[in-house]
Amino acid sequence: MLLQGNLAANKKTFPHGIKALADYVHSKGLKLGIYSDAGYKTCAKAQPGSLGHEEQDAKTFASWGIDYLKYDNCNNGDTKPLQRYPDMSKALMQAGRPIFFNLCEWGDMHPARWGAAYGNSWRTTNDIEDTWDSMTSMADQNEVWAEYARPGGWNDPDMLEVGNGGMTNDEYIVHFSIWAISKAPLIIGCDVRHMSQDTYDILANKEVIAVNQDPLGVQGKKVRMEGSSEIWAAPLTGYRTAVLLLNRHAKDEAQITAHWDDIGLPAGTAVDARDLWLHKTLDTKFTDKMSFNVTPHAARMFVLTPLKSQMD
């Protein structure tokens, strides 16, 4: 809603205002995101957008203590994103508070090619749904733009559906694993107040989050596909490699083999393999390849570390 030309909190929903909410969220060690639109009205419920009021709204967001802005693309008078998004980018940089800027223009104008000049992440896809087909489709569309991701600027295949109930636990593990190796922003999309233990265990997996947050910042890609079997890989700091073995088949178990020449390891390299979902380092030392049976709609995720003797 608006108050004297400035955005204001709905008093029924936020009786103490957004600043009080931000302070509470920050006290829990979390960050607070907010939604606006690079148009005259938002996509849903026709709330005021920020088009033409970028500087004013950016200062408001900063004064409230906002950490993240999702900036949508509806009701824009048929103007192109590059006519609108730069203005909010400039306004945020002058607002006096670091605010992560997500360009949510649905991948329409290929924002991976230009988004880094204006934002911290950019949607490469339309809206995700809480289904296996939607989730894997978002992953496929996002992977195309892997070469454009870099520290400070990330491809965004939309929020996480983990915990919303439309997929199995194994499918949610696949979801979180792909987003992590893809260096996608990990935006929780479920109600954190009522999440199950299974959901918490997925979203709080520090080893998988560490792959997502690795300082090297290289987005993982599919390096081999055979039918419904896929191998994804990404280099990590410390000469390590993240590997995801994914079985997209709905019914059949698959034996999936990752070859070193596919995932970027030199021939003859022996490695320790850390299973990120079992939380243990496997006893076997692998050389040149590794094979595992993977159940339907499931994945195995590893970090491979060359043995110290080969690093000397």
Side-chain angles (χ1 to χ4, degrees), residues 11-138:
K11 291 186 177 180
K12 290 183 179 180
T13 308
F14 305 104
H16 303 293
I18 304 299
K19 178 64 167 64
L21 175 63
D23 290 344
Y24 174 78
V25 170
H26 293 156
S27 75
K28 301 298 183 181
L30 301 172
K31 295 182 182 295
L32 182 66
I34 203 164
Y35 170 93
S36 188
D37 195 290
Y40 302 108
K41 294 182 179 180
T42 60
C43 296
K45 299 184 179 180
Q47 296 298 312
S50 293
L51 186 61
H53 299 272
E54 292 85 0
E55 183 177 349
Q56 182 181 12
D57 289 355
K59 289 180 179 178
T60 297
F61 299 149
S63 71
W64 286 342
I66 297 299
D67 304 294
Y68 176 102
L69 171 63
K70 176 180 176 178
Y71 204 46
D72 221 333
N73 194 34
C74 292
N75 303 306
N76 54 55
D78 200 32
T79 54
K80 294 182 179 180
L82 277 168
Q83 294 176 268
R84 294 176 280 112
Y85 282 85
D87 290 338
M88 180 56 83
S89 176
K90 180 179 179 181
L92 289 172
M93 288 189 286
Q94 296 175 345
R97 175 181 178 81
I99 298 177
F100 188 107
F101 188 28
N102 172 246
L103 314 177
C104 184
E105 64 87 82
W106 321 316
D108 285 354
M109 300 290 291
H110 305 313
R113 293 175 174 165
W114 50 265
Y118 306 108
N120 304 109
S121 66
W122 41 86
R123 281 278 296 280
T124 53
T125 69
N126 213 317
D127 293 347
I128 193 172
E129 297 177 2
D130 188 17
T131 67
W132 172 263
D133 288 344
S134 175
M135 180 271 290
T136 53
S137 176
M138 300 302 107

Side-chain angles (χ1 to χ4, degrees), residues 108-175:
D108 285 354
M109 300 290 291
H110 305 313
R113 293 175 174 165
W114 50 265
Y118 306 108
N120 304 109
S121 66
W122 41 86
R123 281 278 296 280
T124 53
T125 69
N126 213 317
D127 293 347
I128 193 172
E129 297 177 2
D130 188 17
T131 67
W132 172 263
D133 288 344
S134 175
M135 180 271 290
T136 53
S137 176
M138 300 302 107
D140 292 340
Q141 294 174 49
N142 188 67
E143 192 260 352
V144 171
W145 303 102
E147 66 184 277
Y148 292 92
R150 68 200 74 174
W154 310 103
N155 294 314
D156 176 16
D158 207 3
M159 68 177 186
L160 294 161
E161 293 285 0
V162 177
N164 283 330
M167 289 183 264
T168 67
N169 202 62
D170 281 347
E171 289 170 341
Y172 282 139
I173 286 173
V174 170
H175 184 8

Side-chain angles (χ1 to χ4, degrees), residues 168-204:
T168 67
N169 202 62
D170 281 347
E171 289 170 341
Y172 282 139
I173 286 173
V174 170
H175 184 8
F176 197 68
S177 299
I178 295 177
W179 263 236
I181 202 169
S182 299
K183 307 302 189 294
L186 301 179
I187 307 299
I188 296 173
C190 71
D191 188 339
V192 297
R193 299 169 300 173
H194 305 296
M195 69 171 64
S196 67
Q197 186 62 48
D198 284 342
T199 295
Y200 178 83
D201 289 343
I202 293 172
L203 295 175

Side-chain angles (χ1 to χ4, degrees), residues 208-278:
V208 176
I209 293 171
V211 170
N212 179 262
Q213 297 289 299
D214 185 77
L216 197 60
V218 177
Q219 179 173 325
K221 297 191 293 186
K222 299 178 195 179
V223 297
R224 193 181 184 101
M225 294 175 286
E226 294 182 354
S228 299
S229 298
E230 295 179 357
I231 298 96
W232 295 58
L236 304 174
T237 52
Y239 304 101
R240 299 170 302 137
T241 303
V243 177
L244 182 68
L245 308 181
L246 170 60
N247 180 7
R248 293 176 68 151
H249 201 282
K251 296 181 179 179
D252 297 336
E253 184 174 272
Q255 184 180 70
I256 304 178
T257 301
H259 297 270
W260 277 199
D261 58 349
D262 290 328
I263 66 175
L265 285 173
T269 301
V271 302
D272 278 325
R274 177 74 177 179
D275 188 310
L276 304 190
W277 289 106
L278 295 180

